[in-house]
Amino acid sequence: MQQSTRPAGERCHLPVVSMENVSFQYEQRNVIEELNFQILQRDFVGLIGSNGAGKTTLLRMIVGLLKPDRGEVRLFGTPLGQFHDWERIGYVPQKNAFNPLFPATVREVVLSGLYGRKKLFKRMNRDDYKKCEDAMHALRIEELADRRIGRLSGGQQQRVFLARALVNNPELLILDEPTVGIDSESQENFFHMIRHMHQRHNITFLMVSHDIEMMHAYLGYEPAHTSGKIKFFVKHTHELDNCAETNLAHSLRGIRLAEESLEAVNRGE
Ligand SMILES: Nc1ncnc2c1ncn2[C@@H]1O[C@H](COP(=O)(O)OP(=O)(O)OP(=O)(O)O)[C@@H](O)[C@H]1O
């Protein structure tokens, strides 16, 4: 969970993101100052802060798009500069809305989540298509697979971006205001799905949201840590001392296979 003081000894609570004395400035103006914070496996960390507090800047540092001026960021224990396993991280940046004329289909957008640096010049194989179908199934967007992304509603597009981020089965999912611009019912469904994934899958979450009610409802009212104007709210899926007893590490494909076998049982096969 939160500050670097929290014990991180257990096997299933290894640090996913560690920030030590991290500072960042834009044009000599401090945005992040001396931040010390650690996110452990199975945490759900929600960042709340006013406009301009530095939340997006922080996420961009964590995904390696900005370099801290001072201090160190580690991902899965590896200093950012030496970290190459980007498929372990899914990132849904802010404001994804597509031009309605954008020609890609939903399936193509989800598949593009597999084009890591390694895959860029490789052909997709059958396994890649299977991962794509699994991610679309998990997000309930299979019927939209051949539709153009630009012609979908905001809420449907958000599901597509989430499927794209999930297609590599990431261990850390980073979401920057994922429900901006979508109606309240779709927002609620989206949060419901995110909470389900946190509780049932072996995924660590880091999410920025201005939906304070929703954040408080899931993460509580007391921030685990505060840095400048950013508040860090944290929920862990299970108690630190009983993780050995949980068996929550389902993969996306796992849900699908389980559902398929349940359907087969129901059909009497
Ligand atoms: N490229 C940039 N150059 C200079 N200043 C910037 C740049 N990007 C952001 N800033 C400034 O840095 C501060 C933090 O911006 P950031 O986007 O991280 O805030 P935020 O907390 O994500 O805000 P919001 O809730 O509005 O998305 C703001 O004052 C912003 O104006």
Side-chain angles (χ1 to χ4, degrees), residues 47-59 177 208 210 230:
L47 302 188
I48 297 182
S50 49
N51 290 131
K55 304 175 299 293
T56 297
T57 302
L58 180 57
L59 299 193
E177 297 194 44
V208 169
H210 285 291
I230 307 179

Side-chain angles (χ1 to χ4, degrees), residues 44-48 205-209 215 219 230-235:
F44 193 120
V45 177
L47 302 188
I48 297 182
F205 283 84
L206 173 58
M207 181 168 96
V208 169
S209 175
M215 293 283 259
L219 307 176
I230 307 179
K231 291 192 167 75
F232 295 70
F233 290 81
V234 181
K235 183 183 181 74

Side-chain angles (χ1 to χ4, degrees), residues 1-4 6 8 15 17-18 36-40 43:
M1 164 168 108
Q2 56 272 43
Q3 293 138 55
S4 49
R6 195 174 79 167
V17 181
S18 312
N36 287 288
F37 192 75
Q38 205 168 57
I39 301 172
L40 304 185
D43 280 348

Side-chain angles (χ1 to χ4, degrees), residues 95-111:
K95 296 185 197 86
N96 268 300
F98 258 109
N99 177 330
L101 298 176
F102 190 77
T105 64
V106 166
R107 182 178 283 106
E108 287 162 349
V109 171
V110 176
L111 269 175

Side-chain angles (χ1 to χ4, degrees), residues 207-234:
M207 181 168 96
V208 169
S209 175
H210 285 291
D211 189 338
I212 292 176
E213 255 176 57
M214 210 305 301
M215 293 283 259
H216 285 326
Y218 192 50
L219 307 176
Y221 288 83
E222 272 307 307
H225 187 60
T226 301
S227 171
K229 293 182 193 154
I230 307 179
K231 291 192 167 75
F232 295 70
F233 290 81
V234 181

